[in-house]
Amino acid sequence: MQDTDPTDNAAPMSSADTREINRRQGHFASQDTFWLFGYGSLIWKADIAYRKRRPALIHGYSRRFWQGSHDHRGTPDAPGRVATLVREEGASCLGMAYLIGPEALSPLDLREKNGYLRASVTLHFVDHGTNGDQPRNQHQVSATPQTATGLVYIASSDNPAYLGDAPVDHIVQQIARSHGPSGPNSDYLLNLADALNGLGGDDAHVFQLAQRLRQRMRQAAPQSSCLE
C-alpha cells in the first residue's frame, strides 16, 4: 500500500466527526495485523489492545499543536489544542508504533473522531528489531523488518476543528486554560514532551511549548499560594 495523506482530499469536510468517513475508507481493515503510528497521546496513553510496540520515525511530516480538541482536552465552546501532522520537506517525526488488529479500528475511530482521518505512511523503526516493551541489548536483535507501511490518523487543514498556526504564547495560553472530559490540556502537552524526551526525541515545537507552559505554571504558583 502506498503512502496516503488526508490533505489529498479536494473538498473540505462538512463535519468534524470523521467516524463514518474512516469506516468507509477501510484502511487496513482486511489485514489480520498492521502497525499503527502514534505521535500524540497514543505515545503515552495507548488504551488499545496491541501485540507489540516499537519506536519509529516517519519522514516528511512535522508534529504541530494546530488541531482543536472539542471532545477530549477542551469543549465545543473552549477547545484545547492537540497534535496533528503537517507536511514538511526533510522533516521527521518520532513516535510509537503499535502492532494491532482490525478490532482496534472502531475504538480508534471514536478516539480520533474530531477531525482525524486514516492514512497510510511508511514507518522507519529505530529500535533495531527489538520489542519496544523490553530493554534492548545486543542479544535481542531480530530479523524484524526495519520499515513497514502503517496506519496514522491526521487532522488536515480542511477539517472544521482545525485551528492552525498561532504565536507560541497564544498556543500556550490556550493550552493552559483548556480542560475537557479527558483532563487538562496541559497534561496532554507535558506528558507528550516527557514521553518524547524518554525516547530520546528532539521536537523543537513540542519542547518549546512545554517549556513556556512550565514557566507559566511556575509563575502562577506563588500567586495561588498567596490567595490561600
Side-chain angles (χ1 to χ4, degrees), residues 86-99:
V86 298
R87 284 284 194 182
E88 183 178 348
E89 188 71 26
S92 294
C93 178
L94 176 66
M96 187 65 73
Y98 299 91
L99 187 64

Side-chain angles (χ1 to χ4, degrees), residues 34-48 50-58 63 85 92-100 108 111-112 121-127 130-134 150-153 191-192 194-201 203:
F34 50 90
W35 289 97
L36 166 73
F37 182 72
Y39 58 89
S41 60
L42 276 169
I43 298 179
W44 53 271
K45 188 182 180 184
D47 51 358
I48 55 171
Y50 61 89
R51 278 71 162 177
K52 65 173 69 173
R53 63 178 182 175
R54 300 178 65 185
L57 287 167
I58 60 172
R63 183 175 15 232
L85 296 176
S92 294
C93 178
L94 176 66
M96 187 65 73
Y98 299 91
L99 187 64
I100 61 174
L108 283 167
R111 175 175 176 152
E112 309 293 340
V121 68
T122 300
L123 307 180
H124 301 264
F125 298 112
V126 297
D127 61 351
T130 65
N131 186 329
D133 289 319
Q134 311 219 352
L151 171 69
V152 66
Y153 285 81
N191 285 335
L192 176 57
D194 289 344
L196 290 173
N197 186 59
L199 289 173
D203 191 310

Side-chain angles (χ1 to χ4, degrees), residues 128-141:
H128 303 288
T130 65
N131 186 329
D133 289 319
Q134 311 219 352
R136 188 177 70 191
N137 63 50
Q138 60 183 347
H139 302 296
Q140 289 180 307
V141 177

